[in-house]
Amino acid sequence: MYENKKVSKIVDEVLTYLLGKNATDINIKVEKLPKYTMIQTTSQNIKLSEQELVELRNFLNSTHREAETEQYYWALAGEGNASEELGLVAIMVDIAEIYYEGDELKMDFLRKRSDN
């Protein structure tokens, strides 16, 4: 029922995070497939150390998605400070991949669809 709004909140939080890190040339692709939605971002001019990259990847994959928790928290996305933004994203996605490809930071999020 709220699947589209949840996906748009994820996109909003990721975009806010990237802008807060002074990223430039940000591209976001949302692909809705029958069983899942894939959100892919690429951005320039964002430098994370290898340690920061590993910590961010681990953080985003450390929380297991639970429908009950998500139902409550998805509406709060955008209400907290910058340190909480991606925490809410972690609750709403099933898999997060964060990596560099050349000079581009890539963030890929997979969310199993709940409106099937």
Side-chain angles (χ1 to χ4, degrees):
M1 179 161 134
Y2 294 105
E3 189 64 22
N4 290 335
K5 287 186 174 260
K6 290 177 184 179
V7 169
S8 69
K9 288 283 191 179
I10 293 167
V11 169
D12 179 55
E13 295 307 309
V14 172
L15 179 60
T16 300
Y17 171 80
L18 292 170
L19 290 170
K21 293 286 190 180
N22 297 317
T24 59
D25 194 18
I26 300 168
N27 293 291
I28 299 173
K29 176 183 176 185
V30 177
E31 186 175 6
K32 290 175 66 174
L33 299 167
K35 296 190 183 221
Y36 63 89
T37 299
M38 175 67 77
I39 301 164
Q40 299 174 302
T41 71
T42 60
S43 55
Q44 299 282 332
N45 196 37
I46 181 168
K47 302 296 181 203
L48 300 176
S49 69
E50 186 61 33
Q51 175 80 16
E52 290 173 308
L53 201 59
V54 168
E55 288 175 2
L56 181 58
R57 187 181 302 120
N58 289 341
F59 174 72
L60 286 169
N61 286 296
S62 66
T63 304
H64 297 287
R65 184 173 162 212
E66 295 181 24
E68 300 81 22
T69 305
E70 176 185 296
Q71 187 62 30
Y72 177 75
Y73 284 105
W74 80 270
L76 299 177
E79 301 300 321
N81 62 37
S83 65
E84 298 170 341
E85 291 164 358
L86 293 184
L88 293 172
V89 170
I91 291 171
M92 298 172 67
V93 300
D94 295 290
I95 299 170
E97 290 293 328
I98 315 298
Y99 56 97
Y100 278 100
E101 192 169 282
D103 290 338
E104 284 187 329
L105 178 68
K106 296 193 175 237
M107 302 175 82
D108 299 335
F109 302 96
L110 182 133
R111 175 181 166 79
K112 293 178 185 168
R113 296 187 51 134
S114 61
D115 60 355
N116 293 332

